[in-house]
Amino acid sequence: MAVSAKVSGPDFSKGVSEEILKDDESLLGHIGDEPVLLVRHEGDYFAVGAKCSHYGGPLEAGIVTGDKVMCPWHHSCFDLRTGEALKAPALSPIPAWHVEVRDNKVYVTDKKNPVVAPRKGTETQQYVIVGAGAAGTAAAVMLRRKGFLGSITLIGEDKELPYDRPNLSKDFLAGNAPEEWIPLFTEDFYKQNRIRLELGVKVEKIDSHRNSVFISNGKSLKFDRCLIATGGTPRKPRIPGIDKGHVYLLRTLKDSRRIIARTSWASRVVIIGAGFIGLEVAASLRLRGMEVHVVAPEEMPLMNVVGVHVGSYLKKLHEQHGVKFHLGHGIKEIRDRSVVLDNKQSIDADFVVVGAGIQPNTELAEQAGCFTDNGILVNEYLETSMPGIFAAGDIARWPDPRSQRPIRVEHWEVAERQGQVAALNMMGDKVRFQDVPFFWTTHYGLTLCYIGHSERFDRMDVLGDMEQVDFAVAYYEDQRIAALLTVGRDQENLKVEEALSHLDDEKVHEILAEYEHRFERIQSSSGFMEPSP
């Protein structure tokens, strides 16, 4: 078999020295034309595919922790023994190979056959998942991967197959990703895995007493377990003209398509909101050659989320690419071909995009009797106050072991990982959700990775060189590192995730200290801003 030009390193089928790796080290090589990662852990050797099944991230640039390997790009996690995708955003496994040690050499031999152990006693169980977004889809896939044998019904209001929502404001909107990349799985995948899809319909009621779900198409479904993963609805500011036809929200694939269609002739856009969605849309539309104006009441983009340093860095980055900011202002009126600011300034606009956050869709949960408070309240197993009903994703508010308070996080990866953990607990596994929140955001090819969660940081340490696009920002709450943002520092981000997941603040400090000689401490700030409400 011809070896692809894309593979590199040794041919593991011919063997490599047993001493080539120390514990928890990895080596990139290949078998035929497939890139393979060879890993040593506790004296044993493992071989898995070298590319993440999510976006193809290079696993050799990630970290090995225990008997798993983590992707540097978006923190997917894989089992070194089986290749199983343990944590989202990867939902599919990577290949795994058998490894033999002979005559002081390590040989990678034949590929392992994936084995799914049937979950006995689940044959007659009926699970209903309300919401076909990140959490719902991840839950359905995890149920099958963990051997659930009963029926799974995935219900969604969107007519489209479940898709990769982060791409809607990033590469797809920018024109760099074809639409065939957007679905998470093909229709055949759901058929082969016996996941029944009910799309383009609305759940009208969840009857927790009769364990039934009633759908707008007249169907009713009995359930033994139910997962509510209804996500959120984009907020629509109360602005005169907000309901005009050229004003777009961005939540669905249809929304993104409509904006793209508008760019075929339009040249000027006003974006309401300087949060992550607003800025990602701004970057994507600039890449399409649009004149972009961003209007927001804040004095700096994302200041309450990432602080003044990163906020000003992103503002400068966008300005360098031609975005015009109107910060500290609101919109008084949206007209047919312009918007009027609260200072009476008029900005010409062929259309408007609103990025003002989302409102969690808790109505069904409330009607079913679940306790809510800025989201659906769940315990550490993601079960609601109604036994047998679970919640995951943007609507779930769970007890965070690090901050010691309930939190709700609107991140794609958090939603998928919660869906995976909820699936396990629906089957009775009793797995606590303790994953550390993570998100990434991309602007003009620059990716910022944020691990942890902080709603009220009182101090920041900025390490590195922002001008050289190589820096990290640590966010503190009462002397505790609550979150870390990095640019160009994927491994530090991964290691901090592992330390935070074990509540090991001392280890977090050690990780940052280990790399501090590479970082020039450029500023330590405190008391420069009011904490988030």
Side-chain angles (χ1 to χ4, degrees):
M1 181 182 294
V3 176
S4 166
K6 293 183 179 180
V7 301
S8 61
D11 182 345
F12 290 138
S13 67
K14 297 179 180 179
V16 294
S17 169
E18 190 176 2
E19 303 303 320
I20 200 167
L21 292 175
K22 297 178 181 178
D23 257 2
D24 294 334
E25 287 186 345
S26 64
L27 176 66
L28 178 64
H30 63 91
I31 293 291
D33 62 354
E34 289 192 71
V36 175
L37 193 69
L38 182 67
V39 178
R40 179 173 176 171
H41 174 61
E42 294 184 349
D44 292 328
Y45 294 88
F46 305 94
V48 294
K51 299 298 180 184
C52 177
S53 61
H54 177 230
Y55 281 176
L59 296 182
E60 74 274 11
I63 64 170
V64 174
T65 172
D67 57 357
K68 60 184 184 288
V69 60
M70 299 182 70
C71 176
W73 286 2
H74 308 118
H75 294 209
S76 296
C77 182
F78 301 93
D79 190 318
L80 289 172
R81 301 177 190 278
T82 65
E84 177 67 26
L86 300 174
K87 292 184 178 182
L91 302 180
S92 301
I94 54 177
W97 283 262
H98 292 284
V99 180
E100 295 179 4
V101 179
R102 305 190 303 269
D103 301 324
N104 298 321
K105 295 188 74 176
V106 181
Y107 295 85
V108 177
T109 59
D110 55 317
K111 191 177 288 187
K112 295 180 179 179
N113 292 320
V115 177
V116 177
R119 187 73 65 114
K120 294 182 180 180
T122 63
E123 296 86 347
T124 61
Q125 294 286 295
Q126 301 177 73
Y127 287 4
V128 174
I129 301 172
V130 182
T137 304
V141 173
M142 180 62 86
L143 286 169
R144 288 294 182 234
R145 296 205 67 82
K146 292 300 180 181
F148 179 73
L149 300 173
S151 71
I152 302 172
T153 303
L154 184 60
I155 307 172
E157 293 188 33
D158 203 317
K159 294 181 180 180
E160 306 289 341
L161 289 173
Y163 48 81
D164 182 18
R165 195 183 302 278
N167 237 324
L168 300 185
S169 58
K170 297 183 176 74
D171 283 344
F172 180 65
L173 185 60
N176 297 327
E179 188 161 319
E180 54 264 30
W181 290 5
I182 301 302
L184 294 171
F185 297 99
T186 65
E187 189 172 359
D188 284 344
F189 172 87
Y190 297 101
K191 290 179 180 178
Q192 292 167 5
N193 285 277
R194 296 183 296 109
I195 299 171
R196 175 185 173 188
L197 297 176
E198 291 281 356
L199 302 177
V201 297
K202 183 179 178 64
V203 171
E204 296 182 333
K205 182 180 180 181
I206 299 175
D207 190 327
S208 56
H209 301 291
R210 292 190 288 173
N211 283 16
S212 297
V213 169
F214 297 89
I215 312 176
S216 59
N217 60 9
K219 295 180 182 179
S220 62
L221 302 172
K222 298 286 290 184
F223 65 81
D224 294 285
R225 296 286 186 273
C226 177
L227 174 64
I228 303 176
T230 45
T233 300
R235 297 181 188 273
K236 186 183 290 188
R238 294 182 178 178
I239 300 171
I242 195 73
D243 293 318
K244 287 180 179 291
H246 68 297
V247 179
Y248 301 100
L249 303 174
L250 179 54
R251 183 68 176 172
T252 67
L253 178 55
K254 181 179 178 180
D255 295 334
S256 195
R257 285 178 182 146
R258 291 176 66 217
I259 294 171
I260 292 170
R262 191 83 178 191
T263 65
S264 64
W265 62 267
S267 61
R268 298 179 298 268
V269 60
V270 168
I271 298 170
I272 301 175
F276 287 111
I277 295 299
L279 294 183
E280 287 178 359
V281 170
S284 295
L285 295 184
R286 279 300 297 147
L287 291 174
R288 286 184 175 270
M290 303 286 297
E291 179 183 316
V292 176
H293 296 258
V294 175
V295 180
E298 300 85 7
E299 296 299 326
M300 191 67 68
L302 293 163
M303 189 156 134
N304 284 351
V305 180
V306 295
V308 67
H309 299 299
V310 178
S312 60
Y313 178 84
L314 284 172
K315 180 175 181 287
K316 180 180 178 181
L317 175 66
H318 279 267
E319 288 176 333
Q320 289 172 343
H321 285 82
V323 173
K324 298 176 176 64
F325 284 94
H326 307 268
L327 300 176
H329 293 288
I331 292 182
K332 183 179 180 181
E333 182 183 3
I334 299 174
R335 296 176 178 173
D336 290 341
R337 299 303 295 270
S338 65
V339 301
V340 180
L341 305 188
D342 54 13
N343 64 355
K344 298 183 180 180
Q345 179 185 358
S346 178
I347 304 172
D348 291 340
D350 296 316
F351 67 103
V352 176
V353 178
V354 179
I358 66 168
Q359 178 70 34
N361 296 327
T362 59
E363 296 83 0
L364 279 173
E366 291 168 355
Q367 169 265 319
C370 302
F371 295 158
T372 63
D373 179 12
N374 185 31
I376 303 173
L377 296 176
V378 295
N379 61 18
E380 63 268 40
Y381 306 109
L382 303 180
E383 191 169 16
T384 71
S385 57
M386 300 302 294
I389 298 180
F390 295 76
D394 292 349
I395 43 88
R397 192 158 179 245
W398 79 96
D400 176 44
R402 282 158 296 280
S403 62
Q404 299 293 311
R405 62 178 183 264
I407 64 173
R408 185 176 66 82
V409 174
E410 298 168 4
H411 300 337
W412 178 261
E413 180 170 294
V414 171
E416 287 187 315
R417 289 189 176 187
Q418 285 188 343
Q420 292 175 319
V421 171
L424 299 176
N425 290 323
M426 290 164 76
M427 294 187 290
D429 285 2
K430 288 294 182 183
V431 177
R432 289 182 171 86
F433 182 74
Q434 296 181 319
D435 285 45
V436 184
F438 169 80
F439 73 84
W440 74 95
T441 183
T442 303
H443 310 258
Y444 313 102
L446 178 76
T447 299
L448 294 84
C449 295
Y450 182 103
I451 191 72
H453 181 73
S454 179
E455 297 173 347
R456 54 190 185 198
F457 57 89
D458 48 39
R459 173 183 147 218
M460 295 186 306
D461 278 353
V462 183
L463 308 173
D465 190 339
M466 285 186 162
E467 294 301 320
Q468 295 299 316
V469 198
D470 181 5
F471 62 90
V473 183
Y475 300 88
Y476 291 80
E477 293 182 3
D478 301 325
Q479 303 303 312
R480 175 183 64 87
I481 294 181
L484 180 77
L485 181 145
T486 61
V487 173
R489 289 289 163 180
D490 293 332
Q491 287 211 350
E492 285 91 331
N493 208 285
L494 282 170
K495 291 178 179 180
V496 167
E497 175 177 351
E498 277 293 282
L500 289 176
S501 70
H502 293 96
L503 305 180
D504 192 343
D505 290 345
E506 183 177 344
K507 184 64 175 178
V508 174
H509 287 282
E510 287 178 7
I511 293 165
L512 295 183
E514 178 184 350
Y515 292 97
E516 195 162 359
H517 67 280
R518 303 181 192 176
F519 290 153
E520 177 186 2
R521 185 180 295 271
I522 59 173
Q523 192 164 359
S524 179
S525 302
S526 61
F528 62 88
M529 60 173 287
E530 293 296 324
S532 301

